[in-house]
Amino acid sequence: MTERHPTRAAGPQDQRLRERAGAVIPGGMYGHQSASSLPSAFPQFMRGGRGARIWDVDGNEYVDLMCSYGPVVLGHQHPRVEQAAAAQAALGDCQNGPGPVMVDLAELLVQTVDHADWAMFAKNGTDATTMCCTIARAQTGRQKILAAAGAYHGAAPWCTPRPAGVTPQDRANLGYYAYNDLASVQRAAAEAGGDLAAIVVSPFKHDAGYDQELVDPAFARGLRALCDAVGAALILDDVRCGFRLHLGSSWEPIGVSPDLSAWSKAIANGHPLAAVLGGDAFRDGARQVFVTGSFWFSAVPMAAAIATITALREERAVEAIKRSGAELRDGILAQARAWELPVSYTGPDAMPYLSFAGDADRELAGLFAAAALRGGVYLHPRHNWFVSAALTGDDIARTLEATDQAFAAVRKHLGQ
Ligand SMILES: Cc1ncc(COP(=O)(O)O)c(C=O)c1O
C-alpha cells in the first residue's frame, strides 16, 4: 500500500537500521513482519516489550494490539513463563535428545485439548500444517488435500500466497473450496474422488485484508460428516486462533472435533514452538512419517509452553481477553458512530478486524492505523488484531483515546 497521507516517518534509529538492513538482507526485510507495506510511520525494528506495552528502537512506547502477530497471548515477558524458560535454559536447551519437558508438555496438551490423544512438536505454524497434511497422506494412502481459497496456512510452496518460486507440481494435489460453503467442499471432494486425504480449515475465516467471517457451525459439522463418510482427515489449522478463543481446540465450543490440528503462535507465549495434535485414528500415520528439525526438540520453548498453558488456565486468560476484546469493540464502534464513519468490526472480539465502508484500497485503514500509532497504539491496517490477556484498564483507555483521534483523522480527511 502506498501511503498517500504520510505522517512522520519512523525514527532515526529505525531509519539507520533499515539502511544497514537494505545492504545485507534481501529487500531489507521480508515476510509478514516487513513494514514496507505499512504506513511510513510504522517502525520496522523493535526494542522490547513488557505486558501490553512495546517499545520501538527509537524508544516510542505503544499499547500492543498485534502481539507479535499472535504469539504473545499473556503479554510480553510474562514472569511465570520467563522464569520457567530461564530455569530450563540453566539446565540445557538444544541437546542430544529432548528434555523430560517434551513428555510433560505432550501430556498437558492431551489433557487440555479434547480431540488429542498424542502430540508432536516442531517450530513454526507452517511445519505444523505441512506435517498434518503429510500425516493424513501417510495414514490414508491418498494424495489430495482441500483448502479454502484465499486461506493462509503458511509459507511453504504448497500454501504460500506469493507465486515466486512455486511450481505447478507443488500444488498438483490441492483442491479449493469457499469457506462456509459446504456445497463447494462437496464439489471439490467429488473431484478428488477416492484420492481425498484431508480437508484443511481454519477456525474462522481470517484472511488478511478482508472482513472476517465466523464459522457457520453447520458448515463445520458438514465437514466432519464428509470426512467421516469418505475416510479423509479433518485438519483444523489452529495456528492463529489456538488458545486465544478457547483453552482447547477452537472448535470445541461448537462441538466439532478434528482428526488433526496444527498449533504454534500462542502456545508458548512467544517462544518458538509448534505442535501437531491428533487422535488415535491417525497415530499410525504420525508414527510413519519422518519429520524433524535441528531445533524442534529444544527444551526451553517446551518449558515455556507448559508455563503458558498453566498460566492461561490459572489466570483465566481467555476470559480476560474476551472481556477486554468486548470493551474495545464497544468503545471503537461507539466512536465510529459518533464520527459518523461506517465501519465493519468483524471476527471474534479477541481477534478483531476493522475496515471502512468503500475503502477498497485500504487508504482509510492506513490513515487510521498511522494516526493510532501516533497516539501510542500499535494496530494493523490490513490484518486482524490480537488482544492479549495483559491489557489493563489504562491500556484500554489509552487505546480508545488513540482510536478516537484516529477516527478524527479519517473524518478530517473525508471532510466534515
Ligand atoms: C492460520 C495460520 N496457519 C499457519 C500459519 C503459519 O505459521 P508460521 O508463520 O509460524 O509458519 C499462520 C501464520 O500466520 C497462520 O495464521
Side-chain angles (χ1 to χ4, degrees), residues 65-66 204 212 325 328-329 332 344-355 380 383-387:
L65 281 190
M66 283 309 289
F204 70 96
Q212 316 283 283
L328 285 175
R329 179 202 58 209
I332 288 173
S344 298
Y345 195 84
T346 53
D349 291 346
M351 299 167 67
Y353 179 79
L354 177 75
S355 68
H380 201 288
H383 192 289
N384 71 268
W385 309 339
F386 296 90
V387 175

Side-chain angles (χ1 to χ4, degrees), residues 32 69 71 123-129 151-156 159 201-204 206 237-241 262-265 273-274 351 383-384 386:
H32 68 293
Y69 289 75
K123 279 294 101 172
N124 290 289
T126 309
D127 301 333
T129 54
Y152 187 68
H153 295 297
C159 55
V201 64
S202 53
F204 70 96
H206 48 40
D237 178 354
D238 234 329
V239 169
R240 196 179 308 180
C241 304
W263 302 72
S264 186
K265 294 210 185 268
L273 190 69
M351 299 167 67
H383 192 289
N384 71 268
F386 296 90

